[in-house]
Amino acid sequence: MAAKESSFDIVSNVDFSEVTNAIQIAMKEIQTRYDFKGSKSDISLDKEELVLVSDDEYKLDQVKDVLFSKLIKRGVPVKNLDYGKVEKASGGTVRQRAKLVQGIDKENAKKINTLIKNSGLKVKSQLQDDQIRVTAKSRDDLQKIIQAVKEADLTVDVQFVNYR
């Protein structure tokens, strides 16, 4: 009888309920801060995109800083924010959209698979949609892969789920 294989999935997910909470907390702070008094600053969620609005680019950066700190506190991976260009909006304000990236894109999947192949461990990896399933007979090898992937320079934040 063959030894049972262990596996886990490498995913990149954003918890949108935590994003909503972070936006609410950030907006409360912006509304009470003296340096934002009379400012037309706003943060909203449009499907899977954050929409940030403020008086000018300087204030927009401050709005981003407030939001970032709240997202980090709530465990939302800020690495998964993909910012668009700053554009002029109505009423003399500026707007910037930030897409919340879900799943592992082809480029990062390729990096992870190469990393696994080059590890020299008896581990198999398989891309499934926007996640990667990693299997091995040795749980120690799986732990080493998790450590290696955590240290890899990826453009998205990854989580390890379904470990069995």
Side-chain angles (χ1 to χ4, degrees):
M1 200 150 95
K4 190 176 169 294
E5 287 204 331
S6 298
S7 70
F8 66 86
D9 297 329
I10 303 173
V11 298
S12 183
N13 293 329
V14 174
D15 182 346
F16 281 95
S17 60
E18 290 299 354
V19 173
T20 305
N21 291 339
I23 290 171
Q24 288 170 343
I25 296 165
M27 281 309 297
K28 268 187 194 149
E29 181 175 321
I30 288 168
Q31 286 158 1
T32 57
R33 269 179 47 174
Y34 181 77
D35 55 338
F36 281 106
K37 203 174 180 81
S39 160
K40 294 181 187 136
S41 299
D42 186 49
I43 308 166
S44 59
L45 189 60
D46 178 23
K47 293 183 189 99
E48 291 189 358
E49 266 190 339
L50 286 169
V51 183
L52 297 97
V53 177
S54 198
D55 305 331
D56 51 49
E57 285 192 43
Y58 175 72
K59 274 264 195 305
L60 192 67
D61 283 341
Q62 288 181 307
V63 169
K64 269 194 246 178
D65 286 346
V66 172
L67 180 61
F68 255 46
S69 69
K70 306 308 174 216
L71 288 170
I72 290 167
K73 271 189 186 145
R74 305 217 62 94
V76 176
V78 289
K79 240 185 183 181
N80 289 34
L81 291 174
D82 183 16
Y83 283 99
K85 286 194 186 96
V86 174
E87 51 198 28
K88 294 209 179 301
S90 61
T93 59
V94 291
R95 173 179 48 228
Q96 187 173 26
R97 291 177 173 273
K99 189 172 188 293
L100 288 153
V101 180
Q102 291 271 68
I104 299 172
D105 60 324
K106 282 190 169 47
E107 197 175 301
N108 282 306
K110 200 188 243 174
K111 270 188 195 173
I112 293 169
N113 279 325
T114 303
L115 184 116
I116 291 170
K117 278 193 184 88
N118 295 343
S119 71
L121 300 168
K122 289 183 180 170
V123 179
K124 286 187 289 224
S125 63
Q126 178 184 16
L127 185 63
Q128 299 175 331
D129 299 323
D130 58 358
Q131 64 184 39
I132 299 171
R133 164 80 38 97
V134 182
T135 53
K137 284 192 173 81
S138 160
R139 286 188 159 225
D140 289 345
D141 286 354
L142 290 180
Q143 291 291 341
K144 288 174 188 162
I145 293 298
I146 288 175
Q147 202 49 50
V149 171
K150 278 182 181 173
E151 291 164 8
D153 182 26
L154 303 171
T155 58
V156 292
D157 192 69
V158 293
Q159 299 90 36
F160 306 94
V161 297
N162 301 332
Y163 193 87
R164 47 180 169 268

